[in-house]
Amino acid sequence: MPGFREVQYYLVGLWLLIRLDPRGFRYLDMSERGVNRSFWAMAWCLPPMGISWLWWRQAFLRAMPPEADVDFPFYIRLSLVEVANWFVPLVFAGLLLLAFRMGERFAPVVVSINWLGVPLSYINGLLLALVFFLPGSVGLVSLLLLAFMLAQVFVLARILRMICHGHALMVGALTLVLLVPSMILSEYLQHFLGIYPA
């Protein structure tokens, strides 16, 4: 598993790409080994994921009868949703790139998106933690989450712009493919697995 210094190195590369600085590619390992190691980002995201699961548990129990409780399978189902949200958009991105004969850009997309997930997960976890410690901040957190979502689209588009060499249509298509299926899939799986707070 990559250590903190290595992850920090990758994040510097992402920051440079967000600033449209091509030197950022030097900080990211785009080899087959680098692609495989980038999936360790999921392990780095476990702490903020835990916060989001606790928040989801709280929302789920609020919608249930007072005597209701959740057990271990509830968290297994949440983890299945997380795994699907991580892999399915990458599969769609790969198919899109293959369809437009740009398959060589799949490795940079995978590496960048995987490591970008680390800071985004921690920011999301921090915002959800505010709800726990400041129960009256729900309105403020909702606005911050909206701003965070818009910032996420902006950051993702900037990185994809560097990977796709400014090909605007491909940047737009990849941005949609990496974000929209995840939203749809989340809601579908939550309903299907019985973990949606009805």
Side-chain angles (χ1 to χ4, degrees):
M1 178 175 171
F4 177 74
R5 294 296 294 274
E6 186 176 347
V7 174
Q8 191 178 33
Y9 191 77
Y10 296 145
L11 295 183
V12 169
L14 290 175
W15 176 245
L16 290 172
L17 292 180
I18 291 168
R19 296 175 58 190
L20 304 181
D21 188 337
R23 290 178 301 169
F25 289 114
R26 300 178 194 169
Y27 290 80
L28 299 169
D29 185 357
M30 306 297 186
S31 66
E32 183 179 347
R33 177 178 179 272
V35 170
N36 292 333
R37 282 175 64 79
S38 71
F39 286 99
W40 279 109
M42 294 179 71
W44 274 93
C45 291
L46 286 176
M49 252 182 233
I51 294 173
S52 69
W53 291 359
L54 291 174
W55 178 84
W56 195 258
R57 174 186 178 274
Q58 188 180 61
F60 183 80
L61 289 176
R62 274 201 305 265
M64 300 294 286
E67 67 277 4
D69 200 1
V70 297
D71 49 12
F72 184 68
F74 178 84
Y75 297 103
I76 295 295
R77 292 171 191 154
L78 278 175
S79 68
L80 290 175
V81 175
E82 295 284 358
V83 170
N85 281 337
W86 199 288
F87 284 98
V88 171
L90 291 177
V91 171
F92 283 141
L95 293 173
L96 181 65
L97 288 168
L98 283 175
F100 286 89
R101 299 180 182 178
M102 299 171 71
E104 74 283 354
R105 295 176 193 174
F106 183 58
V109 167
V110 172
V111 171
S112 301
I113 297 309
N114 281 346
W115 289 120
L116 181 63
V118 176
L120 293 181
S121 290
Y122 277 88
I123 294 170
N124 185 64
L126 178 63
L127 291 174
L128 293 178
L130 287 175
V131 178
F132 283 111
F133 295 110
L134 299 170
S137 65
V138 175
L140 174 62
V141 170
S142 297
L143 289 174
L144 290 174
L145 283 170
L146 177 61
F148 170 62
M149 188 181 300
L150 295 174
Q152 184 178 349
V153 173
F154 173 77
V155 165
L156 182 59
R158 297 273 286 192
I159 292 174
L160 292 174
R161 178 180 170 187
M162 293 298 293
I163 293 172
C164 297
H165 306 298
H167 195 296
L169 287 177
M170 182 54 68
V171 170
L174 277 174
T175 302
L176 289 174
V177 158
L178 288 167
L179 293 177
V180 175
S182 178
M183 297 175 190
I184 298 171
L185 186 64
S186 283
E187 187 165 350
Y188 171 76
L189 287 177
Q190 287 160 5
H191 279 96
F192 179 75
L193 296 172
I195 55 175
Y196 190 84

